[in-house]
Amino acid sequence: MTLATIDFSADIKTLMASFGVDAAALAGGTLAVRSPINGQTIASVKEISADDTRRAIDAAHQAFLKWRLVPAPQRGELIRLLGEELRASKTELGRLVSIEVGKITSEGLGEVQEMIDICDFAVGLSRQLYGLTIATERAEHRMMETWHPLGVTGIISAFNFPVAVWSWNAALALVCGNSTIWKPSEKTPLTAIATQAIFEKAVKRHNAQGGKAPANLSTLLIGGRDIGEILVDHPKVPLISATGSTAMGRAVGPRVAARFGRSILELGGNNAAIVGPSADLDLTLRGVAFAAMGTAGQRCTTLRRLFVHESVYDTLVPRLIKAYGSVTVGNPLEAGNLIGPLIDKGSYDRMQHALEAAKANGGTIHGGERVHADVAAQAFYVRPALVEMPQQCGPVVEETFAPILYVIKYSDFDQALALNNDVPQGLSSSIFTNDIREAEAFVSDRGSDCGIANVNIGPSGAEIGGAFGGEKETGGGRESGSDSWKAYMRRQTNTVNYGRTLPLAQGVKFDIE
């Protein structure tokens, strides 16, 4: 079956039915959903109104007031059941991700595996939401720190990881005692509808076993920017977790701060890797290829800048150019293809604009041309581009959400490290080296200024056990593992006097008759 003859209509109906979604939910709406694989419109879904959005937030707040009273391990049981439901639906949801986003099959399945992994993490976390006991200067007193549920957690997700990012936030928020309300990207509503249906299956099982999950514990908002703005501005949503561009973050952050809400911002990434003179070039080739070309360059952790030492440049770069020229680009559902389509024409146009700017700044371009346009005029497949640049300038310091890798030669480690850090974004970074001094310097306090700094692996493909996020224009937020859960709770310091006297701190005297 060629790109020109694919029809996803029956596939979509079958997949959505497997999640328990009625076929009527896929037609008659105002939001057209297209597959980037061939440009076909695969559904038209209904969008929520502004008034219904406000009512949904009020209902989510009521759900929070009930859910916070449920013991955390019981909340964890719901997430355990969610993980089971995701395991049961992994193949179907992974395929839906591939159809709606254009990911190759293994990456679609991998995204669902991330959801399963964070559920496993959150179940354990539900028994570890611990505070501290703190030494006090006052006799017969105890001072401690406790963590309490925060409230409704608003989640705004992007198209490139349409369901995994929701799970990073929702799994933690729910075990922490919060309700969630989710506005997915307008480009990927079907995966969100499917995920919500899977969650409802878990809730049904949980309550059948004696659980106390209230209605509206997880709410889905399908709509445009206006719906997101209501969520961002609403006083009953104390936390907004927003994933998207830096421009989106500049809009969201100040609005949330204006009402003294909290925000977790996961924004742009212009990620770099350094290839040192001692690097294992075979390992480097594989690491760079996946990090730069995987997901058609549409990961926030995609490798976009590569600094190669002059002593290995002429060995590594021709091998990379050869890999770029031979990598298979095409229907992501077909085995053997490693690169699927860009999400839409806008992404393609931005890529071409960046390549033109790179050429104007002295760049030598390898690849970057559109392919399969003759059989899929409404789909935008491109050959990944490797661009040899004389220096870091022009489009190199900007994030272009497409498979463009800018390659620059360097001679001195400190020079490469400075180039790594000399961009507005600060999400992920890596170094390929067998020199322990370079490796340790890279992850030290004088090294990479990014939230993620890797050695001998690329900057993409993070595991859920670590906190995910970055610095500078990446937003400073952290999601997923480590102690990211603290962002979804409120901290309280408690002092308990179990004696019969009232000593004051700092030796203050205030005696009354």
Side-chain angles (χ1 to χ4, degrees):
M1 184 177 292
T2 67
L3 289 171
T5 59
I6 294 174
D7 185 350
F8 288 118
S9 302
D11 206 351
I12 290 296
K13 289 179 181 178
T14 300
L15 289 171
M16 297 302 279
S18 75
F19 309 124
V21 177
D22 193 293
L26 308 178
T30 54
L31 179 60
V33 187
R34 60 179 293 280
S35 171
I37 294 175
N38 62 352
Q40 178 188 359
T41 298
I42 53 178
S44 55
V45 298
K46 296 177 177 63
E47 298 179 84
I48 193 169
S49 69
D51 287 343
D52 283 344
T53 297
R54 296 184 183 93
R55 281 190 283 268
I57 293 171
D58 287 338
H61 177 70
Q62 292 302 312
F64 157 70
L65 296 178
K66 298 174 182 176
W67 187 238
R68 65 179 177 176
L69 303 179
V70 176
Q74 293 182 28
R75 301 193 296 251
E77 174 62 11
L78 171 60
I79 301 306
R80 187 187 71 81
L81 294 172
L82 174 59
E84 285 190 356
E85 293 295 333
L86 287 167
R87 283 181 172 89
S89 295
K90 179 178 176 179
T91 299
E92 294 79 9
L93 186 56
R95 183 171 177 83
L96 184 61
V97 168
S98 291
I99 292 172
E100 193 171 37
V101 182
K103 293 189 178 186
I104 62 174
T105 297
S106 65
E107 291 195 57
L109 293 171
E111 176 156 359
V112 183
Q113 187 60 49
E114 280 196 55
M115 303 174 78
I116 294 167
D117 292 345
I118 194 64
C119 286
D120 289 347
F121 179 90
V123 172
L125 178 64
S126 69
R127 293 181 181 270
Q128 300 181 69
L129 300 173
Y130 48 78
L132 300 171
T133 297
I134 303 166
T136 172
E137 66 189 64
R138 290 170 283 189
E140 298 186 305
H141 282 58
R142 180 165 62 91
M143 186 160 58
M144 61 184 179
E145 172 186 279
T146 54
W147 293 85
H148 299 293
L150 181 63
V152 179
T153 298
I155 303 168
I156 300 173
S157 59
F159 79 86
N160 60 324
F161 278 85
V163 288
V165 170
W166 170 83
S167 69
W168 295 353
N169 287 277
L172 297 193
L174 289 163
V175 298
C176 288
N178 302 329
S179 59
T180 64
I181 191 159
W182 177 22
K183 189 222 167 285
S185 168
E186 300 96 306
K187 299 175 183 179
T188 53
L190 296 188
T191 43
I193 292 169
T195 299
Q196 179 65 21
I198 292 169
F199 179 80
E200 293 298 339
K201 288 184 180 181
V203 168
K204 185 176 181 179
R205 287 180 60 193
H206 179 70
N207 288 348
Q209 297 172 7
K212 297 180 179 179
N216 305 305
L217 188 56
S218 172
T219 303
L220 182 62
L221 306 176
I222 302 296
R225 176 172 178 152
D226 58 325
I227 300 303
E229 289 176 344
I230 293 171
L231 189 61
V232 165
D233 293 338
H234 205 289
K236 288 183 179 177
V237 185
L239 174 64
I240 294 289
S241 178
T243 301
S245 67
T246 296
M248 182 271 284
R250 290 191 192 283
V252 169
R255 293 178 75 145
V256 176
R259 61 178 177 85
F260 297 102
R262 299 186 196 176
S263 58
I264 300 172
L265 299 177
E266 299 288 355
L267 310 175
N270 192 358
N271 316 292
I274 297 171
V275 182
S278 66
D280 178 333
L281 297 187
D282 290 335
L283 182 149
T284 300
L285 179 69
R286 292 173 56 216
V288 168
F290 169 70
M293 293 189 281
T295 326
Q298 296 172 117
R299 288 178 177 239
C300 50
T301 52
T302 289
L303 176 60
R304 308 195 186 282
R305 298 175 296 136
L306 186 67
F307 307 113
V308 182
H309 191 267
E310 59 187 9
S311 66
V312 296
Y313 189 97
D314 290 338
T315 302
L316 176 64
V317 175
R319 293 179 65 187
L320 279 172
I321 293 171
K322 182 179 179 181
Y324 267 66
S326 61
V327 69
T328 49
V329 181
N331 181 355
L333 300 177
E334 290 184 358
N337 287 330
L338 295 179
I339 311 296
L342 294 174
I343 190 67
D344 57 22
K345 184 178 185 297
S347 290
Y348 171 76
D349 290 343
R350 286 186 288 273
M351 178 179 180
Q352 298 309 307
H353 177 76
L355 291 176
E356 291 170 4
K359 185 176 181 179
N361 279 274
T364 300
I365 300 170
H366 308 272
E369 69 275 12
R370 188 177 178 188
V371 297
H372 305 311
D374 55 333
V375 293
Q378 299 305 311
F380 294 87
Y381 291 85
V382 293
R383 181 154 294 286
L386 185 151
V387 184
E388 297 180 84
M389 293 292 292
Q391 59 185 332
Q392 182 162 271
C393 61
V396 184
V397 297
E398 303 167 356
E399 180 190 35
T400 301
F401 219 59
I404 302 175
L405 179 64
Y406 300 106
V407 183
I408 298 172
K409 186 184 297 185
Y410 80 93
S411 58
D412 175 74
F413 173 74
D414 287 336
Q415 172 199 11
L417 187 58
L419 289 168
N420 177 87
N421 295 343
D422 192 25
V423 291
Q425 311 84 0
L427 177 52
S428 192
S429 58
S430 66
I431 185 170
F432 292 90
T433 182
N434 285 323
D435 184 330
I436 191 171
R437 291 183 176 86
E438 286 187 342
E440 290 293 335
F442 187 75
V443 299
S444 73
D445 51 7
R446 78 173 184 90
S448 171
D449 64 0
C450 298
I452 300 169
N454 297 331
V455 177
N456 289 330
I457 64 171
S460 65
E463 298 181 37
I464 60 90
F468 182 89
E471 304 302 328
K472 302 187 293 187
E473 288 190 3
T474 303
R478 294 296 186 275
E479 297 170 330
S480 197
S482 186
D483 66 349
S484 300
W485 61 270
K486 292 180 179 179
Y488 303 86
M489 303 195 82
R490 59 181 178 88
R491 186 197 312 248
Q492 188 176 82
T493 301
N494 315 119
T495 303
V496 178
N497 177 3
Y498 56 88
R500 296 185 179 277
T501 61
L502 191 65
L504 302 178
Q506 294 85 46
V508 172
K509 300 294 184 181
F510 195 83
D511 298 324
I512 59 175
E513 297 297 333

